[in-house]
Amino acid sequence: MSTSYIDEAAGSDATGTGSQDAPYQSLGYALFTHGDSVKYLFRKDATAAYDEPTQSSLKKAKKTADGLEKKKKKAEELAAKEAKDKAEQKEKKEKLLEESKKIVLEEDQSLPKATRAKVSKLADLRGQRVRVFGWVHRRRDQGGIIFVVLRDGTGYLQTILSGRVAQTYEALTLTLESTIEVIGTLHPVPEGKTAPGGHELSVDYWRVIGSAPGAEDAFTNRLNEKSDPSIQADLRHLVIRGENASGVLRLRSYLLNAFREAYASENILEVNPPCLVQTQVEGGATLFKLDYYGQPAFLTQSSQLYLETCLPSLGDVFCVQESFRAENSHTRRHLSEYTHLEAELAFIDFNDLMSHIEEIICKTVDILLANPITAGLIKSLNPSFQTPTRPFTRLSYVEAITWLNEHQIQHPEEDSSGNPIKDEQTNQINMVDHKVGDDIAEAAERQMTDIIGKPVFLYGFPAELKAFYMKKMDDKEGEGEKNVRYTESCDLLMPNVGEIVGGSMRISDEEELLAAYKKEGIDPSPYYWYTDQRKYGTTEHGGYGLGVERFLAWLANRYTVRECALYPRWPGRATP
Ligand code: 4AD
C-alpha cells in the first residue's frame, strides 16, 4: 500500500500530490482524493515527525471528504445540465434555421410603390414607403426584433425587422458589413427614443445583396478599436468604414469645397499644375527622384513656381495638388505625400499676404459652420472647437526667440553636424536657450502654440533658414543682430498642430533671383521659365502653401495627420 503525506504547515491541497516532497495540507482533502486506498502519514509542521493520524482526526477528515465529494457531484451535475442546455439550444437554433429557410419574402405589390432614396434625403419622405441600399453598420436583437443600422455613405438609418421579415434565414444569419436592400415605411422615432435623422424604417421587404463573412473572418475579428496601429494601417480600407474615420474624410471633402468657395468669392482661379517636375522648390534633400524617359525628374514638392507663372495669365490663382516630401520624419504632422493648397497673388505687399491668408481661413471656417452638416461633423469630432478670432496675433521671428527664452522653452544643443550633444556625466541631452539664427524646431513650436492657444503668425525668418526664392526685408526693417538678413516670410501656427501654412513674398528682381540660385548652388538653366517671370513684366507678388491634412487635424482635433488622409503615406508605408 502506498503512502500519502500531509503537512499541515507546508503542504498544499491545490498543488500537492501526497508525496513526501509535495505533501497535502489537509487530511480531509487527502481522504477525498485517495479514499482507503493509501496509508496516511501526518505532521503538524516540520519540527514534528510524520505519524499516523489519530482516530478523531480521521473522523473529522472523513466529514470534510464527504462534503468535498458532494460538492464535486453537484458541479458535475451542473456541467452536464449546461452541456445539455447548450446542445438543446444548438439543436433549437439549427431547427429554427432550417425552418427559416422555408420563409421566403416577397415584396407585396399591393403596397404603394417605394421611392428610392439615399439616407441623407429621407427627411422629406417620412410617412412614405422608401427603398434604401447600404451596409449593415450595427445589429441588435431584442425579443425577435432585429434592429439594423444601415450605412450608405450619406448617413445612418435605423431599420426595424420584425415578424416574418426577421425570421428568414438571411435575417437570422445577417452579418455586419453585408450589403442589403431594405423597403419599408419611414416613421419618426417614438417620443423618448433617438435614432439618426430622428426617424426609423419599419421594413416590409428586404434582401441581402452581398453577405460578409461571420465567425473567424468576421469584420470585427479582423479589426477593432484595440487593433495594433500597424494592423490598422494595413487595414485602412476597412478602418475608413468606421464612424470617426469616415466623419473625418467627409469633413475633408466639405473642407475642400469650402476653400474653393472662399477663393471663388475672391475671384481667384483654380489651376492644375503638374506632379512630375524637373525643378526643386524646398531644397534637394526632400526630393523624390525618378527616371523620366531617361531624364532625371522629381515628384513635386510644391506647385508654387508654376502658380507664379500663372499670375500674368490668369491673375491670382490657387491649386489643390499633392506634394511629396522624401523626409525621414515619423512625426504626428509629417506625411510623405500630402494635399497642398497653394495660392499666389500679384501686386500685393507682405502685409496684404498675411491679411489674405487670415481672410481665406476665416471665410472657410465660416462656410463650414454655416452648413448644419459640417457644423455637426465638427461638433462631433471636436466638441471644444473655437472659431479663431481676428486679427491673428503676429509675432516676428526675433520676438518669438525672446518669447521662447522668457518661457524657458529650450532646444537641444547640437554639434556642427546637427547631432544633439549629451552631458558626459548624466548622458542627458544638453538643453540650451534659443538665439537669433536658430531654427525653431517642431517641439518648441508646438509648446509655443499650445501656450498661446490661438492662431499665430510667425514672420520675418532669417534668409539662411528659408528657401532661395524668398524676398528679403529691406535692411532697415531687419531687426536685431547685424549680419542676419530677414525675409518676408510667414508661418501660421495653430494650437495642437503647429505650422499649417508657410508663405512668403517672392524675389521679384531677376538679378537678385540669379544670385539666389547661385548661393543655393542651383543650376538656373532648368528654371528659365521661372526666371522669365522677372524678365517679362515683373511685380511684387507672394503666396503660400497650406497643408490640408494639418488644417483638418486642427479643425477635427485629430492626434495625427495620418488620420486626415485617405491612404496616408509615411516613410516605409505606401500600402494599401
Ligand atoms: O512650408 P512649406 O514647405 O512651403 C512650401 O512648400 C511653399 N513653396 C508653399 C508656397 O509658398 N506656395 O509647406 C507649406 C505647408 C506647411 O505649412 C505644411 O502645412 C504643409 O505644407 N507641409 C506638410 N504637410 C504634411 N506633411 C509634410 N511632410 C509637409 N510639409 C509641408
Side-chain angles (χ1 to χ4, degrees):
M1 197 184 240
S2 63
T3 306
S4 190
Y5 292 87
I6 299 109
D7 181 329
E8 213 171 55
S12 161
D13 291 345
T15 58
T17 59
S19 70
Q20 210 159 350
D21 291 339
Y24 293 118
Q25 191 199 11
S26 72
L27 185 58
Y29 187 80
L31 261 177
F32 161 68
T33 313
H34 302 288
D36 296 332
S37 64
V38 299
K39 180 179 165 202
Y40 295 103
L41 284 179
F42 174 89
R43 71 179 181 191
K44 274 253 177 252
D45 54 44
T47 59
Y50 276 111
D51 201 356
E52 286 191 14
T54 61
Q55 278 306 316
S56 71
S57 58
L58 264 176
K59 215 168 150 190
K60 214 167 127 198
K62 180 89 179 56
K63 259 194 188 158
T64 312
D66 287 351
L68 286 171
E69 188 61 37
K70 258 193 204 150
K71 226 174 171 176
K72 186 179 152 199
K73 275 225 172 84
K74 228 178 183 167
E76 278 168 2
E77 276 166 21
L78 199 75
K81 189 176 176 303
E82 270 173 13
K84 194 170 154 235
D85 287 354
K86 221 168 160 183
E88 271 174 16
Q89 260 173 22
K90 195 170 162 221
E91 198 182 324
K92 207 169 141 193
K93 207 169 156 191
E94 273 163 13
K95 215 166 142 200
L96 205 72
L97 275 178
E98 263 323 293
E99 287 293 310
S100 71
K101 287 181 185 164
K102 292 184 200 141
I103 304 175
V104 178
L105 287 186
E106 267 181 60
E107 194 181 346
D108 183 347
Q109 299 301 336
S110 69
L111 292 171
K113 196 171 162 18
T115 310
R116 182 172 168 176
K118 295 274 188 194
V119 170
S120 62
K121 295 278 183 202
L122 288 175
D124 295 338
L125 296 170
R126 285 198 189 161
Q128 297 182 34
R129 217 166 153 255
V130 297
R131 187 150 80 107
V132 187
F133 294 84
W135 287 259
V136 175
H137 187 63
R138 268 199 295 270
R139 165 187 183 146
R140 180 167 59 89
D141 291 57
Q142 199 177 41
I145 300 176
I146 306 172
F147 294 89
V148 171
V149 175
L150 194 70
R151 182 185 79 233
D152 78 344
T154 74
Y156 301 93
L157 171 68
Q158 170 144 299
T159 66
I160 302 168
L161 276 57
S162 61
R164 257 171 68 81
V165 165
Q167 290 159 4
T168 62
Y169 184 75
E170 288 74 19
L172 299 182
T173 57
L174 182 64
T175 45
L176 293 186
E177 297 303 321
S178 296
T179 35
I180 58 174
E181 172 188 4
V182 289
I183 299 180
T185 310
L186 195 66
H187 301 291
V189 274
E191 205 145 316
K193 298 251 161 94
T194 54
H199 43 232
E200 55 192 17
L201 190 77
S202 300
V203 176
D204 59 59
Y205 173 78
W206 73 284
R207 70 183 177 98
V208 172
I209 296 166
S211 66
E216 283 290 284
D217 211 15
F219 188 84
T220 42
N221 277 347
R222 284 194 70 189
L223 180 76
N224 56 55
E225 280 140 30
K226 294 192 193 99
S227 299
D228 190 75
S230 75
I231 292 181
Q232 301 223 16
D234 285 342
L235 298 182
R236 178 79 180 151
H237 60 297
L238 303 182
V239 169
I240 60 174
R241 298 181 179 207
E243 281 172 40
N244 271 335
S246 64
V248 172
L249 294 177
R250 183 167 293 126
L251 182 59
R252 183 185 157 110
S253 168
Y254 283 99
L255 171 64
L256 290 175
N257 282 345
F259 272 126
R260 289 192 161 100
E261 198 179 321
Y263 284 115
S265 75
E266 309 251 329
N267 277 322
I268 300 176
L269 285 187
E270 179 168 2
V271 290
N272 306 106
C275 271
L276 292 166
V277 299
Q278 291 189 307
T279 44
Q280 53 142 303
V281 191
E282 299 298 327
T286 63
L287 282 173
F288 277 107
K289 300 184 178 69
L290 55 104
D291 177 81
Y292 189 73
Y293 303 105
Q295 285 181 29
F298 320 114
L299 292 176
T300 186
Q301 293 171 308
S302 158
S303 300
Q304 174 197 323
L305 308 193
Y306 293 99
L307 293 190
E308 288 186 49
T309 68
C310 295
L311 295 176
S313 161
L314 301 166
D316 299 345
V317 283
F318 80 97
C319 71
V320 182
Q321 174 66 288
E322 297 297 281
S323 277
F324 302 85
R325 303 284 168 106
E327 49 194 333
N328 201 15
S329 301
H330 294 256
T331 77
R332 289 157 58 171
R333 64 181 203 185
H334 282 93
L335 293 167
S336 303
E337 172 180 354
Y338 69 97
T339 303
H340 206 170
L341 179 88
E342 294 181 272
E344 200 66 29
L345 314 168
F347 304 106
I348 56 161
D349 63 21
F350 187 36
N351 190 43
D352 296 333
L353 177 67
M354 285 192 277
S355 300
H356 160 87
I357 295 171
E358 188 177 303
E359 175 73 16
I360 288 291
I361 284 177
C362 291
K363 246 188 197 165
T364 301
V365 170
D366 286 347
I367 292 168
L368 291 173
L369 293 179
N371 177 343
I373 296 175
T374 36
L377 274 172
I378 294 170
K379 195 157 176 46
S380 74
L381 292 165
N382 184 5
S384 50
F385 176 76
Q386 282 182 346
T387 316
T389 47
R390 303 181 67 172
F392 294 174
T393 303
R394 293 181 186 186
L395 205 61
S396 77
Y397 165 84
V398 176
E399 286 165 346
I401 295 288
T402 309
W403 189 99
L404 288 170
N405 290 337
E406 278 170 6
H407 289 78
Q408 279 106 45
I409 297 172
Q410 298 183 306
H411 70 100
E413 189 181 8
E414 289 176 352
D415 61 20
S416 51
S417 8
N419 298 315
I421 301 174
K422 283 187 178 170
D423 183 289
E424 277 181 11
Q425 276 175 358
T426 63
N427 206 27
Q428 302 244 322
I429 292 173
N430 283 343
M431 297 300 285
V432 291
D433 276 355
H434 286 84
K435 59 181 190 319
V436 169
D438 285 343
D439 199 3
I440 300 176
E442 183 172 339
E445 186 190 281
R446 186 185 292 281
Q447 279 175 278
M448 183 170 178
T449 39
D450 288 349
I451 292 173
I452 295 176
K454 51 185 189 175
V456 47
F457 271 119
L458 283 194
Y459 70 90
F461 293 90
E464 304 304 321
L465 300 179
K466 289 290 181 181
F468 74 94
Y469 53 75
M470 289 189 182
K471 189 187 168 202
K472 314 268 182 313
M473 281 181 172
D474 287 346
D475 259 349
K476 57 179 165 25
E477 286 180 51
E479 298 159 68
E481 329 275 301
K482 287 201 178 90
N483 303 325
V484 178
R485 285 302 307 270
Y486 298 95
T487 51
E488 290 194 337
S489 56
C490 60
D491 285 355
L492 178 62
L493 314 182
M494 290 299 205
N496 187 37
V497 185
E499 180 197 329
I500 61 158
V501 176
S504 76
M505 295 301 288
R506 324 299 192 190
I507 293 174
S508 60
D509 179 72
E510 188 181 350
E511 291 307 314
E512 199 186 331
L513 181 64
L514 290 173
Y517 291 137
K518 200 165 170 191
K519 188 152 185 268
E520 192 74 16
I522 297 174
D523 171 12
S525 45
Y527 292 80
Y528 69 94
W529 51 274
Y530 183 65
T531 315
D532 268 355
Q533 300 310 307
R534 281 80 189 156
K535 197 164 168 182
Y536 296 96
T538 194
T539 168
E540 293 302 325
H541 65 288
Y544 55 92
L546 174 149
V548 170
E549 292 79 9
R550 290 192 187 179
F551 190 89
L552 192 55
W554 165 72
L555 187 68
N557 191 31
R558 294 297 99 185
Y559 178 73
T560 152
V561 287
R562 294 180 185 181
E563 292 177 65
C564 300
L566 180 60
Y567 285 101
R569 267 75 178 103
W570 62 84
R573 164 71 56 184
T575 306

